[in-house]
Amino acid sequence: MMHSLSSLSRMGRIIGLAVLVVILGAGPVMARVFYVTRPRVQADLAYRFKQDKSITPTRRKDNKENLYTEKMTAASRGYIFRPAIFLFDLTLAPSWGQTRARSNPGEAAASRSFSLDYGFDGTLLRNMPYVLNLRANRGFSNSVSSRSLNTTQSSSSYGADLSHYTRTNNYRLDYLTNNRTMEGFYPETTKDASLKFDFNHMNRRHFWSINASHDKNSRSSQGQTSNSAADALSLSDNLQITGDRRVNLSSLFTANRTASQTNTTNVNVAESLNWRHTPAKQRLQISSHYTAGYTLNLHDGTSSETMPLAASVSLSHKLYDNLLSTLVGSGSYVRFTGGNEKRYGANLAFNYIRSIPWGSINLALGSNYQVDDRTTTSGRIYVSDEPLVFDNTAINLLVNKGIDLPSIHVFNAGKTIEYDRDFDYIVTLAGGFVRINRIIGGRIKSGDRALVSYTYDSAASVKTADIGRSFGAGLSLWSVFNIHYSLSLTKADDLGGEASTTPLADDSNQQVTAKLDFGWSTTSFDAGKQKRVNGYSSRRWQITQSFSKRFLANLSLAASGTYGRSVTLDSGITSQNYSLNFSGGWQPSPYSMWQLEAFQTVMTTNDPLRTESSGVDMSYVYLFRLWSLDLTYSYALDRQPLVGSEHVSNTLNLKLSRAMR
C-alpha cells in the first residue's frame, strides 16, 4: 500500500509539474487551433484562532487551535480551435500550513502540512444545444506532527455533465466521483459516487419533469467498513386542461430508498384537481378542489400505508368591495395501517373592510361545523414529524397526552440525523404533557428546527362533532398604528364510539396584537390566552421595542429589546425572557468597512431552568487595488448555570489576499 501511495505521489508531482510548465511557459500562444493565456496568480496569507469549550455534568472539553496558512493559486484559460469548440481552465494551487492545538491543559500538539491541488475544467460545444462539461481535480498533502506522526493524504474528483436545452425540452445528466485515501496514524479510505438525471418539458399549458439520482458511499477506517446507498425518483406533471387556466391537474410520484445500517423505502403518489367554475372578474366565485393519494413506508421489515381522499367546494361573494362572504364545504377519507378516519364539514366566514378618514377598520365573523369519525384496531396512534423549534425563549411541549416515552425519536429538520436522548436533549413530564429541552454542548443549537415522532394512547373508536365560532376586529390609523383582536371558540359533542377517558374539546383562543411604527422606531405588543381541554393551556404576553437610524451616509445603528412572560396553566410552568440586540455599520472610506452585531437572550422558569445565550460578531474589510484584508471575530456563549452546562466558542480569522490578475 505504501509503495502504491509513493507511486501515486510521484505521478502527482509529475502531472503537477507538467501543468505548471503549461501554465507558466505557454504564454499567449495565438493560433487558430490552440490558445493559452498567460497565468493569473493569486496569493493568500491567513491566520485562524479557534477555541471550543464545553462543560456538561458528564464531560468536559476545552480545545484551542492556531492555524497559519499560505496559499498560491495560478490559473490559465484557453481554447482549442476558433471559433472555440473546446474551452478549458487549468489551475495549480500549492499551500502550506502550520497548526498548534491544545485539547486539554498539558495536551499540546503541533503539525506542519503541505498540499498540492491541480485541476482541469473543460466545456465542449459551448452555446450549442448540446454541451459537455468535464471536471478533474487531484490533490496531495503531507502532514508531520510534533509526535513524529506522518500523515499522507491523496484525493481525486472526476466528473462530467451533459446537458441539452431547447425551447420546450431541457435535460441534464451529471456524474461525479470522489476518492480520498489517508495513510499514517489514522488510515482511512472514502469513496463517493453520484449519478443524477433531470428532464423538463414545458409548453403553454403543460409542464412535466423527471428527476432521478443514485448515490453510493463506501468508507473504510481502522478495519471497519461501512457502505450506504440511496436512490430517488420523482415524476411530476402539471396540466392546464382548459385554455383559460380554470381547470388544473397536478400529479406527483416519488420513491426513495436508502440502504445502510437500516433500510428504508418511501413511495408516494398524489393527484390534485383544481377547478374554478366561474370567470375571474365575477363577484360570485365558485371553485372546487379534489385530491387523492397513497403513501407507503417500509423500515427494516415494518410497513405503514396511508390512502387519503379529499374534496372541497368553495363559494365566495364580494359586495361593494367591502364585504367578502365565503362558504366552504369539505370532506375527506383516510385509510391508514391500523384504521381509518372520515371527516366532513362546512365553514362560513364574513370579512368586512371599511375606509375611514384616518385609516380603516376591519371586522370578521366565522362559524364552522366538522364531524370526525376515527376507527383504529388498537388504542395507540402514531404521530410522525411533529415540528418543534428549540428556541431559548419557548417552552417545548408535545401536542398530545398519554405519550409512550420510549417511542419518542427526535430528528433534525432534514431527517438525516437522529439526536441522542440525555446527550442532545432531555425528556421530562409536565402536568401530563411531555417537555423536550436541548442540552447545551450537544448537537442541537438554539433556533434549530426538529421533527418528533412518537405514539400515544387513544380510544379505538371516536366520533365527534366540532362546532366553532370566531370573531375578529382590527383598526389601522395613519399607517402608523395598528391593533387587532381575535377570539375563537370550539366545542365538541360525542356522536358515538367507545367510551374514552379523554374529555371532549371545549377550547378557546384569544389574541391581541398592537404595533406603533414611525419608521425609525417600532413598538409592538402581543398577548394571548389559549385554553385546551386535550392540549396544554397557556397565557403569554410580550413587548418589543426597536430603533434604527442612519447617521450621515456611512454610519448606521440599530438596537432592539424584548421582554415577555408565559404561563403553561396545566403544568404550572412559568417562564420569563428578555433579549437585547445591537448592530451597526461604519464605512470610513470607500475602501473599508466595519460591522458589529451583539445579542443577549435569557430565559428563566420556575421548574427551575435558566438558559443564557450571548454573542458578538465583528468584521472589518479593507480593499486597495488588488489587495484585500479581511478580519472577523465571533464569540458565542450558551449556558444553563443551574445544571452546570456551558458552551463557549471564540473564533478569530485574519486573511490577506492578492487577487488574480
Side-chain angles (χ1 to χ4, degrees):
M1 185 67 184
M2 293 297 296
H3 177 71
S4 61
L5 184 61
S6 300
S7 301
L8 288 175
S9 301
R10 193 177 305 111
M11 183 184 300
R13 295 188 183 96
I14 295 173
I15 297 175
L17 183 60
V19 173
L20 181 62
V21 169
V22 172
I23 292 178
L24 298 180
V29 180
M30 180 65 71
R32 184 176 179 82
V33 177
F34 180 73
Y35 175 78
V36 178
T37 64
R38 290 191 180 275
R40 296 169 297 141
V41 179
Q42 175 175 325
D44 299 303
L45 180 63
Y47 166 75
R48 184 185 70 181
F49 168 78
K50 185 175 182 180
Q51 180 190 23
D52 192 68
K53 182 179 179 181
S54 179
I55 300 174
T56 68
T58 58
R59 62 185 185 270
R60 183 185 182 93
K61 181 181 68 173
D62 188 3
N63 296 335
K64 293 182 180 179
E65 181 184 74
N66 292 272
L67 176 62
Y68 307 87
T69 305
E70 304 169 48
K71 184 177 181 180
M72 184 185 74
T73 304
S76 184
R77 291 182 174 179
Y79 63 77
I80 298 177
F81 285 99
R82 192 168 67 176
I85 295 179
F86 185 72
L87 304 176
F88 59 86
D89 289 283
L90 302 174
T91 58
L92 179 68
S95 63
W96 299 262
Q98 299 182 46
T99 304
R100 296 180 181 271
R102 189 184 69 177
S103 299
N104 287 297
E107 298 182 7
S111 64
R112 301 185 307 275
S113 64
F114 169 75
S115 63
L116 177 63
D117 297 325
Y118 50 89
F120 169 82
D121 289 320
T123 302
L124 181 64
L125 301 176
R126 186 181 180 183
N127 299 325
M128 298 294 179
Y130 295 90
V131 179
L132 176 64
N133 294 311
L134 304 175
R135 303 181 299 275
N137 291 276
R138 185 76 171 168
F140 299 92
S141 66
N142 184 70
S143 175
V144 180
S145 69
S146 59
R147 300 176 183 177
S148 299
L149 300 177
N150 191 349
T151 301
T152 303
Q153 177 177 301
S154 64
S155 62
S156 61
S157 174
Y158 305 100
D161 64 80
L162 176 65
S163 56
H164 173 64
Y165 301 98
T166 65
R167 181 175 295 181
T168 58
N169 297 321
N170 301 323
Y171 73 76
R172 179 185 175 93
L173 180 64
D174 194 335
Y175 174 76
L176 179 65
T177 178
N178 296 289
N179 299 304
R180 185 170 68 96
T181 301
M182 186 164 57
E183 290 290 341
F185 191 70
Y186 294 105
E188 180 180 281
T189 301
T190 303
K191 297 181 180 180
D192 298 310
S194 66
L195 178 65
K196 297 180 180 180
F197 176 74
D198 300 309
F199 177 81
N200 297 323
H201 171 79
M202 177 176 59
N203 56 34
R204 185 177 178 182
R205 294 168 51 183
H206 194 197
F207 176 83
W208 63 279
S209 64
I210 301 175
N211 306 98
S213 65
H214 171 74
D215 296 280
K216 191 174 182 180
N217 174 270
S218 176
R219 181 175 180 268
S220 177
S221 176
Q222 301 183 20
Q224 301 291 328
T225 302
S226 62
N227 298 300
S228 64
D231 299 293
L233 175 64
S234 174
L235 307 175
S236 64
D237 181 84
N238 189 292
L239 174 63
Q240 300 291 341
I241 298 179
T242 59
D244 55 3
R245 298 179 177 268
R246 289 168 54 178
V247 183
N248 172 261
L249 177 65
S250 299
S251 306
L252 177 65
F253 171 82
T254 61
N256 300 277
R257 182 187 70 89
T258 59
S260 55
Q261 296 180 351
T262 60
N263 298 319
T264 303
T265 302
N266 299 308
V267 179
N268 179 60
V269 180
E271 291 283 345
S272 176
L273 177 66
N274 294 289
W275 190 349
R276 182 165 49 85
H277 300 269
T278 54
K281 296 183 179 181
Q282 187 170 304
R283 288 187 176 273
L284 176 63
Q285 292 289 314
I286 303 175
S287 62
S288 58
H289 180 68
Y290 312 89
T291 60
Y294 172 78
T295 301
L296 171 66
N297 295 312
L298 301 175
H299 181 75
D300 278 352
T302 62
S303 64
S304 63
E305 292 180 296
T306 304
M307 294 183 61
L309 299 172
S312 65
V313 178
S314 173
L315 292 85
S316 63
H317 182 266
K318 200 168 188 179
L319 180 64
Y320 302 121
D321 295 329
N322 297 113
L323 179 63
L324 178 64
S325 306
T326 305
L327 175 63
V328 179
S330 62
S332 66
Y333 172 79
V334 179
R335 182 176 68 83
F336 52 87
T337 301
N340 62 78
E341 183 176 41
K342 297 185 286 290
R343 286 185 178 182
Y344 53 90
N347 177 274
L348 178 62
F350 301 95
N351 188 25
Y352 178 77
I353 300 176
R354 185 72 178 181
S355 298
I356 59 177
W358 310 284
S360 64
I361 58 175
N362 171 240
L363 298 174
L365 185 66
S367 179
N368 70 282
Y369 179 84
Q370 178 174 290
V371 175
D372 190 348
D373 186 359
R374 186 180 69 241
T375 302
T376 59
T377 57
S378 66
R380 286 203 164 182
I381 303 297
Y382 176 70
V383 176
S384 177
D385 300 341
E386 181 177 314
L388 197 66
V389 180
F390 287 98
D391 191 345
N392 285 343
T393 62
I395 300 175
N396 295 318
L397 299 178
L398 298 181
V399 174
N400 299 288
K401 288 184 176 181
I403 295 176
D404 179 28
L405 297 183
S407 70
I408 296 176
H409 295 277
V410 181
F411 304 87
N412 66 333
K415 218 167 182 181
T416 57
I417 299 174
E418 181 175 359
Y419 297 118
D420 296 327
R421 185 181 301 186
D422 298 328
F423 287 94
D424 297 315
Y425 65 93
I426 56 175
V427 175
T428 57
L429 290 175
F433 291 94
V434 173
R435 182 181 181 185
I436 299 180
N437 289 323
R438 72 183 183 95
I439 297 177
I440 290 180
R443 292 177 293 176
I444 304 176
K445 308 303 178 184
S446 176
D448 283 358
R449 298 181 179 273
L451 300 175
V452 185
S453 300
Y454 58 87
T455 59
Y456 71 97
D457 296 327
S458 177
S461 177
V462 176
K463 187 175 183 180
T464 60
D466 292 339
I467 303 173
R469 298 183 301 276
S470 63
F471 169 78
L475 174 66
S476 176
L477 297 176
W478 300 291
S479 301
V480 173
F481 177 73
N482 294 277
I483 186 171
H484 185 266
Y485 171 80
S486 63
L487 168 66
S488 62
L489 303 171
T490 302
K491 186 176 180 61
D493 290 333
D494 189 1
L495 300 182
E498 294 185 359
S500 173
T501 57
T502 303
L504 296 174
D506 189 3
D507 304 339
S508 64
N509 187 8
Q510 300 182 70
Q511 184 171 345
V512 59
T513 59
K515 185 177 181 181
L516 183 63
D517 189 356
F518 292 104
W520 62 272
S521 172
T522 302
T523 305
S524 60
F525 176 78
D526 183 13
K529 183 178 181 181
Q530 184 182 53
K531 184 186 112 176
R532 299 182 61 194
V533 174
N534 295 317
Y536 56 86
S537 302
S538 62
R539 185 174 64 247
R540 59 174 179 80
W541 64 268
Q542 180 173 285
I543 186 169
T544 302
Q545 176 64 54
S546 63
F547 300 95
S548 62
K549 183 68 174 178
R550 175 174 289 275
F551 300 89
L552 304 177
N554 60 350
L555 177 63
S556 61
L557 298 175
S560 64
T562 300
Y563 181 79
R565 296 176 63 92
S566 64
V567 179
T568 305
L569 303 177
D570 307 86
S571 61
I573 298 178
T574 302
S575 72
Q576 60 181 2
N577 66 86
Y578 73 85
S579 65
L580 298 173
N581 297 271
F582 173 81
S583 64
W586 179 42
Q587 188 174 0
S589 70
Y591 314 106
S592 62
M593 175 177 287
W594 289 89
Q595 287 187 322
L596 175 66
E597 294 182 6
F599 74 92
Q600 183 180 29
T601 302
V602 176
M603 185 189 77
T604 59
T605 63
N606 61 344
D607 53 356
L609 178 67
R610 180 180 176 90
T611 302
E612 302 175 2
S613 298
S614 58
V616 176
D617 290 304
M618 184 191 72
S619 66
Y620 173 72
V621 178
Y622 181 78
L623 303 174
F624 179 73
R625 295 182 180 176
L626 297 178
W627 294 90
S628 65
L629 175 67
D630 294 321
L631 173 65
T632 61
Y633 173 74
S634 177
Y635 169 82
L637 169 66
D638 265 344
R639 69 189 193 109
Q640 294 172 336
L642 299 180
V643 297
S645 296
E646 181 178 304
H647 181 249
V648 180
S649 175
N650 274 292
T651 305
L652 174 66
N653 289 285
L654 177 63
K655 185 178 181 180
L656 178 64
S657 300
R658 180 191 182 278
M660 283 190 177
R661 183 177 179 180

